[in-house]
Amino acid sequence: MLKRSSIPPYPQFYELFYTYATGVNPSLNNRINAIFRNGTSPSSDLAETLYEEFLKSDVDDRLTNVSERMTARIDAVHDAIDTAMTSATAYSGSLESATDDLEQALSPESFRALASRLLNETRRMQDTNRALEQQLQSSRDDIAALQRDLDDARRESMLDPLTKIANRKSFDEGMDVAIADASRTGDPLCLMMLDIDHFKNFNDTYGHQTGDQVLRLVAMLLKSNIKGKDLAARYGGEELVAILPSTDVEGAVIVAENIRKAIQAKELLKRSTNEKLGRITASFGVAAFQPSDTPASLIERADRCLYAAKHAGRNRVVSEKDLEGSLRRAAG
């Protein structure tokens, strides 16, 4: 759909159409379907508008909204239960009274009146129970929708709002889990760090909006070149990282090289003016987990490799093995 509409596959546009394809946001689907029915051809500007309206929102506001709706729904259920309990108490009293009456000798007229009274009380109780059932069914549906909203907000809270990959909080949690798993299983684990070369100069020359598009592009290329268990994250500024479980240094270097080449192959075009901005490159550092590592020590070694890559001329991948080889050559 993106290709057919000539919309660039930036993360936010991919998320928009992915959400449409899954059907989890009925309001978004209704809007896009109406656009298609009207024969309107989607554009980048229209996609940006839809994204801003349906998907981009403040997580705290969304959580507050979910909390308020949940509270209102719980209050409604409590009210319905209170009403049912009041009716049940009254009905119980009517049955006790009828039991006392039945223990006495009743005339046919009195017996008919008692039966009519009990029938009316039973019908009222049935009506109350039906209302409670409807209220509970409505609450189940509402709570299911609230759960989906809460899950969406929780996922969004773990994403970097610009690049739509994991944020620093999510990365920190992912590192703890990955190191714990590697320590338990003995499987290899690598951390890859990348930094966009001369990004500050690029920002100063072409503006922060264009710089943001570059960050989104690099994040998309990073995420699309790693496998399911891996975690891509924005570490800070123009630095991105990837946690690579079950991957040794040689495999991590191959992944980094693939990403480096993919970034270098992209020729940038400023959408507003069609001005060619040339190409960008990135430098990479790769470190492997050691049994004595903490998250901080693994990050420090990967950062050291990244610094070496930039110091050696940028647009290259440097791993710990490369640094060890350089030290051995210098010593020899």
Side-chain angles (χ1 to χ4, degrees), residues 82-325:
D82 287 343
T83 300
M85 289 179 66
T86 301
S87 297
T89 300
Y91 186 61
S92 177
S94 297
L95 292 178
E96 289 178 4
S97 175
T99 299
D100 293 338
D101 292 342
L102 288 172
E103 290 176 351
Q104 304 173 15
L106 296 175
S107 65
E109 292 79 8
S110 297
F111 188 82
R112 280 195 294 271
L114 176 61
S116 176
R117 178 162 59 86
L118 286 176
L119 181 60
N120 290 332
E121 292 288 344
T122 300
R123 285 172 176 166
R124 275 197 292 271
M125 191 65 200
Q126 288 175 329
D127 291 341
T128 300
N129 285 341
R130 276 194 293 270
L132 178 60
E133 288 173 4
Q134 292 172 356
Q135 183 69 59
L136 291 175
Q137 181 58 51
S138 175
S139 296
R140 279 193 291 269
D141 295 340
D142 287 347
I143 288 171
L146 288 167
Q147 183 63 53
R148 289 193 296 271
D149 288 347
L150 189 60
D151 289 342
D152 289 343
R154 187 181 294 112
R155 282 192 296 270
E156 188 174 334
S157 72
M158 303 302 284
L159 295 179
D160 173 61
L162 175 63
T163 60
K164 294 304 178 182
I165 60 176
N167 58 19
R168 180 63 182 271
K169 176 185 177 183
S170 183
F171 166 72
D172 289 341
E173 292 181 3
M175 280 288 288
D176 290 338
V177 172
I179 286 180
D181 289 345
S183 299
R184 185 182 68 255
T185 64
D187 290 339
L189 167 68
C190 281
L191 177 65
M192 177 180 69
M193 301 189 74
L194 73 92
D195 187 273
I196 301 174
D197 295 330
H198 304 296
F199 186 72
K200 184 179 184 304
N201 292 339
F202 188 92
N203 255 348
D204 293 342
T205 302
Y206 299 109
H208 289 281
Q209 285 190 334
T210 302
D212 288 347
Q213 294 294 342
V214 169
L215 274 170
R216 292 191 187 105
L217 172 64
V218 173
M220 180 191 69
L221 293 172
L222 171 62
K223 190 171 183 179
S224 63
N225 279 278
I226 59 177
K227 57 182 184 288
K229 292 192 300 181
D230 302 337
L231 177 68
R234 186 180 182 188
Y235 188 71
E238 64 271 22
E239 276 193 347
L240 308 179
V241 291
I243 301 172
L244 308 174
S246 304
T247 306
D248 58 19
V249 172
E250 290 77 11
V253 168
I254 292 173
V255 172
E257 279 290 349
N258 289 338
I259 298 169
R260 185 190 67 79
K261 291 174 182 176
I263 294 172
Q264 186 180 21
K266 296 295 182 183
E267 185 171 5
L268 302 177
L269 191 70
K270 192 171 184 178
R271 283 187 294 167
S272 58
T273 61
N274 287 329
E275 175 188 0
K276 290 185 177 180
L277 308 181
R279 301 180 189 275
I280 56 168
T281 61
S283 302
F284 295 75
V286 174
F289 171 72
Q290 299 172 4
S292 59
D293 266 330
T294 63
S297 63
L298 182 56
I299 291 170
E300 181 182 359
R301 293 205 314 281
D303 192 50
R304 196 181 306 145
C305 293
L306 173 60
Y307 176 81
K310 298 181 83 68
H311 185 70
R314 295 182 169 83
N315 189 26
R316 65 191 65 223
V317 177
V318 172
S319 71
E320 287 183 298
K321 286 192 174 182
D322 298 323
L323 287 184
E324 292 168 2

Side-chain angles (χ1 to χ4, degrees), residues 61-79 135 138-151 154:
D61 288 344
R62 290 181 63 179
L63 290 174
T64 299
N65 178 262
V66 169
S67 176
E68 291 173 350
R69 289 161 57 198
M70 184 70 78
T71 300
R73 176 48 57 195
I74 291 172
D75 288 344
V77 171
H78 282 170
D79 291 343
Q135 183 69 59
S138 175
S139 296
R140 279 193 291 269
D141 295 340
D142 287 347
I143 288 171
L146 288 167
Q147 183 63 53
R148 289 193 296 271
D149 288 347
L150 189 60
D151 289 342
R154 187 181 294 112

